[in-house]
Amino acid sequence: MTHSKAILIIGTQRSGSNLLRLMLNHLGHIAAPHPPHILQSFFPVIDTYGDLSNEKTFDSLIEDVCHFVNLNIIYWGFQMQPAKIRGRCRNNSLVEVYKAVYEEFAEVHEAEYWCCKSMANVHYIPQIEAAGLHPFYIHLYRDGRDVSLSFKKVLVGEKHFYHLAKQWTKEQELALAYCEQYASGRFIRVRYEDLIHNPSLEVGKICKALGIEFNPNAFLYYQSEEAHAMAKISSMFRNLDKPVQKQNDHKYLREATREELQIFESIAAPTLQKLGYSLLFKLGEEYVFTDENIKRFDEENSLIKKEIALTESAEEVRKRSLQSTFLKEVVQRNNLHKP
């Protein structure tokens, strides 16, 4: 049984994380499956399990996580077996189960590293580090105005620039702070705009930081079976079966409204500048967030979500609902069996 090393891509979704994941997956040293978002899904409900030092309780968690992984919208290619995951766990914690699942995947693929691109893991870095998992972090970031535009077009996430500016700012600031606080010497920052315009340089930097050989096959990711399967299953992944889209930046200049951009910058201007992005609005042009405006933003956010849901295929909606339905069943079961 081998114990591979961990890589976590952190930041905010819609920042090119699947693009980078597929590139890394084709280097030959890294196993990088499509993430089932284990920590993001199970940390909010972990207290419903009770005491994980109880072996039966911990076994229940392992069985649930394995089933959850097997329900992933992109199948990992084999069924995750609870007994194998139990044999890998050195302590009874959610982070240990998470690590064991990815180590199992890496061993099947004979990889030195495993990579998880669940960007929301940025919220759990203190717990990850405290549990004894000390990964290499890739902080992948993209202009938040383009991130917001992208979220408006896909099934997942918030839809209004007001909500997205708050999310993007929080997650970028967490990534900036947590990498320095918890992982000095174990992280690299990759700017999406640099990745699409000079992928060899950016992937080369990652390889150097990890101490692995660069392989130009990384850029043939779009020819893989997984890339084609992902492009078919969801509009979220429609560009993954194509070469790098070098024109996929500064789209907000063409597609976002003045109000949307003013809202975003009024919330996120310091973080945008910190990450090297220029502003469109000057000091004194901030948007005024009244209670009435925020209520309108909430209503528009909900409306866009409903409209987007109607445009997605029934198959994608069904597949995405499998995991969320299972989690609800887990919580109901756990609460029913509480002493």
Side-chain angles (χ1 to χ4, degrees):
M1 182 181 296
T2 59
H3 295 283
S4 46
K5 291 171 278 190
I7 304 166
L8 269 59
I9 304 176
I10 56 171
T12 302
Q13 282 183 284
R14 312 309 299 165
S15 298
S17 56
N18 266 308
L19 171 66
L20 179 58
R21 175 184 71 80
L22 287 173
M23 288 180 177
L24 297 181
N25 198 45
H26 278 69
L27 285 171
H29 301 273
I30 301 172
H34 180 273
H37 306 297
I38 295 171
L39 299 185
Q40 178 184 356
S41 300
F42 279 87
F43 260 128
V45 305
I46 196 65
D47 288 343
T48 68
Y49 282 89
D51 185 6
L52 292 181
S53 66
N54 181 296
E55 296 302 328
K56 288 186 177 180
T57 301
F58 187 56
D59 285 344
S60 179
L61 173 64
I62 291 173
E63 290 174 5
D64 290 343
V65 170
C66 286
H67 186 65
F68 189 78
V69 172
N70 293 335
L71 291 175
N72 196 36
I73 186 172
I74 304 297
Y75 183 52
W76 278 18
F78 64 95
Q79 290 285 303
M80 198 61 63
Q81 300 294 329
K84 288 188 176 182
I85 300 309
R86 186 66 180 91
R88 287 185 175 275
C89 292
R90 301 169 180 172
N91 60 68
N92 294 17
S93 70
L94 174 59
V95 173
E96 188 69 10
V97 178
Y98 164 72
K99 180 182 73 150
V101 164
Y102 274 89
E103 283 186 342
E104 181 71 13
F105 186 89
E107 183 165 293
V108 167
H109 291 273
E110 301 180 341
E112 178 184 353
Y113 284 91
W114 58 262
C115 176
C116 174
K117 69 116 256 171
S118 186
M119 304 283 270
N121 283 346
V122 69
H123 295 278
Y124 304 109
I125 290 177
Q127 294 96 317
I128 290 167
E129 294 286 332
L133 177 59
H134 303 300
F136 184 87
Y137 296 97
I138 300 174
H139 174 199
L140 176 64
Y141 62 95
R142 180 186 187 184
D143 191 313
R145 294 160 293 193
D146 274 338
V147 169
S148 298
L149 266 182
S150 185
F151 265 117
K152 285 187 67 176
K153 303 172 185 176
V154 299
L155 186 60
V156 302
E158 303 299 334
K159 303 295 169 229
H160 198 283
F161 269 58
Y162 172 78
H163 304 84
L164 291 163
K166 286 181 171 293
Q167 176 188 343
W168 183 84
T169 300
K170 180 179 181 179
E171 290 175 341
Q172 300 314 308
E173 291 293 343
L174 282 177
L176 289 168
Y178 281 167
C179 284
E180 294 289 351
Q181 181 179 353
Y182 292 97
S184 179
R186 284 190 285 115
F187 73 90
I188 190 171
R189 304 201 194 280
V190 176
R191 177 175 163 132
Y192 171 78
E193 292 81 4
D194 295 334
L195 179 65
I196 62 173
H197 287 290
N198 198 342
S200 294
L201 179 62
E202 296 305 310
V203 175
K205 288 178 182 177
I206 295 172
C207 290
K208 183 177 180 180
L210 294 173
I212 62 177
E213 184 180 355
F214 172 76
N215 185 342
N217 284 340
F219 307 125
L220 299 178
Y221 66 88
Y222 61 92
Q223 298 178 359
S224 67
E225 290 184 12
E226 182 183 0
H228 287 292
M230 291 180 70
K232 286 181 181 178
I233 203 169
S234 173
S235 61
M236 287 180 62
F237 311 133
R238 62 182 176 273
N239 289 328
L240 290 180
D241 62 349
K242 304 178 182 68
V244 175
Q245 304 291 292
K246 294 184 180 294
Q247 77 283 5
N248 209 32
D249 60 353
H250 294 95
K251 297 174 76 172
Y252 66 88
L253 293 173
R254 304 184 298 274
E255 300 180 25
T257 67
R258 176 183 173 85
E259 182 185 48
E260 286 175 329
L261 295 174
Q262 191 177 23
I263 288 170
F264 194 94
E265 291 190 12
S266 296
I267 294 169
T271 307
L272 281 167
Q273 290 181 303
K274 192 180 296 185
L275 292 173
Y277 297 108
S278 59
L279 304 180
L280 298 176
F281 297 91
K282 300 175 183 178
L283 186 66
E285 295 182 312
E286 292 84 5
Y287 196 96
V288 178
F289 297 112
T290 64
D291 290 342
E292 183 179 350
N293 283 337
I294 293 173
K295 181 181 178 182
R296 174 168 63 87
F297 300 158
D298 289 340
E299 291 171 349
E300 291 174 355
N301 192 51
S302 297
L303 180 62
I304 299 171
K305 284 183 179 181
K306 292 176 182 177
E307 291 174 345
I308 290 293
L310 294 174
T311 67
E312 295 299 338
S313 70
E315 180 63 9
E316 180 183 2
V317 173
R318 183 191 70 81
K319 284 194 171 185
R320 289 191 177 278
S321 70
L322 292 176
Q323 287 178 314
S324 59
T325 299
F326 175 66
L327 272 180
K328 291 176 183 176
E329 293 171 352
V330 164
V331 172
Q332 291 174 352
R333 180 204 68 201
N334 289 350
N335 288 333
L336 184 64
H337 293 154
K338 274 185 177 179

